[in-house]
Amino acid sequence: MTDRGLDSWTEDLSARERVRKIATTLTQPRSVEWVREEAQISSWQTAKDELEMLAEFGQIQAVEVDGNTKYAPNYQRRYFNELAELINNNTRDELREEIARVQDEIEKWKTEFDVESREDLESTLTDDSHSSEEIRHRNRVLRQWERREDNKRLLKHALELYDDARSLHPGQNDSFDSSLPISQ
């Protein structure tokens, strides 16, 4: 076992596969050296070549940070992949129901904190009448609320694109079957 206890994820993967695994899960820009270390490979050139190839194919993006090339997530591609996954794995009714569920949760927070928006809740954080625990609770709710709004926006976009995306299914005749995935 390595000093980091990562044998299990590396034992069946080639050096290039490990670089791809690390690179496609980046959450912030990282250097070739950082990726090389995380992927537990000895060759800097192998890591660089694989990162450049991933950037060329749009899986990640190369960015300049302080005059150095780093590799970052391709957020646009991730967003479109999430849209496709929602469209592939859900019916229109399921997407609508999920939007309603998210809205229910937001409405409960509005009632709980007697606010009209997330911004209103955020403005209550400096109220001296709240205990530190109450402020922490409000901070947790604010983070959840922001994620729910992002999810709701994504669900809304999936609904807006649903019919167009489903019609792009290869080999589909005039009949429309929304239970078929877009790509097979």
Side-chain angles (χ1 to χ4, degrees):
M1 179 173 265
T2 66
D3 59 343
R4 299 168 98 185
L6 295 177
D7 267 350
S8 62
W9 84 271
T10 62
E11 63 190 28
D12 294 331
L13 300 175
S14 71
R16 290 185 179 276
E17 289 170 328
R18 292 195 308 267
V19 169
R20 281 193 297 272
K21 196 72 120 167
I22 296 295
T24 57
T25 59
L26 291 173
T27 58
Q28 60 185 324
R30 297 294 188 172
S31 68
V32 172
E33 182 60 20
W34 186 91
V35 172
R36 184 197 66 75
E37 288 176 8
E38 289 297 307
Q40 300 179 7
I41 64 171
S42 58
S43 172
W44 184 88
Q45 191 62 50
T46 298
K48 183 176 186 320
D49 291 347
E50 196 64 23
L51 289 169
E52 287 175 349
M53 188 268 311
L54 289 169
E56 183 179 328
F57 288 111
Q59 296 292 314
I60 59 174
Q61 56 187 343
V63 295
E64 289 297 315
V65 178
D66 299 328
N68 298 307
T69 300
K70 292 192 175 189
Y71 295 88
N74 183 336
Y75 293 111
Q76 184 181 49
R77 184 178 191 118
R78 283 186 185 178
Y79 189 80
F80 287 122
N81 287 344
E82 286 182 45
L83 278 174
E85 187 174 321
L86 282 170
I87 292 167
N88 277 336
N89 298 327
N90 296 280
T91 65
R92 291 177 74 69
D93 287 341
E94 289 169 334
L95 294 173
R96 288 184 193 118
E97 185 54 38
E98 185 61 18
I99 289 172
R101 192 190 67 71
V102 168
Q103 188 59 36
D104 282 344
E105 200 167 4
I106 290 171
E107 288 170 5
K108 286 177 187 173
W109 290 325
K110 286 179 178 182
T111 301
E112 177 184 349
F113 297 105
D114 192 27
V115 294
E116 291 299 315
S117 68
R118 187 171 47 88
E119 292 77 15
D120 289 347
L121 178 57
E122 189 170 43
S123 72
T124 68
L125 293 176
T126 58
D127 187 337
D128 290 337
S129 67
H130 298 306
S131 69
S132 60
E133 188 53 40
E134 174 63 18
I135 291 170
R136 284 186 193 93
H137 173 62
R138 289 170 184 247
N139 272 321
R140 283 189 299 274
V141 169
L142 280 167
R143 287 189 300 272
Q144 292 171 347
W145 194 332
E146 185 173 22
R147 282 192 302 274
R148 297 313 181 277
E149 286 177 342
D150 288 345
N151 290 343
K152 188 176 169 185
R153 190 175 313 111
L154 183 66
L155 289 160
K156 178 181 178 246
H157 288 153
L159 271 175
E160 290 169 350
L161 296 170
Y162 195 88
D163 289 337
D164 289 336
R166 300 297 298 183
S167 71
L168 296 174
H169 185 269
Q172 185 170 322
N173 298 330
D174 291 334
S175 64
F176 187 75
D177 183 356
S178 66
S179 66
L180 295 173
I182 291 173
S183 58
Q184 293 181 342

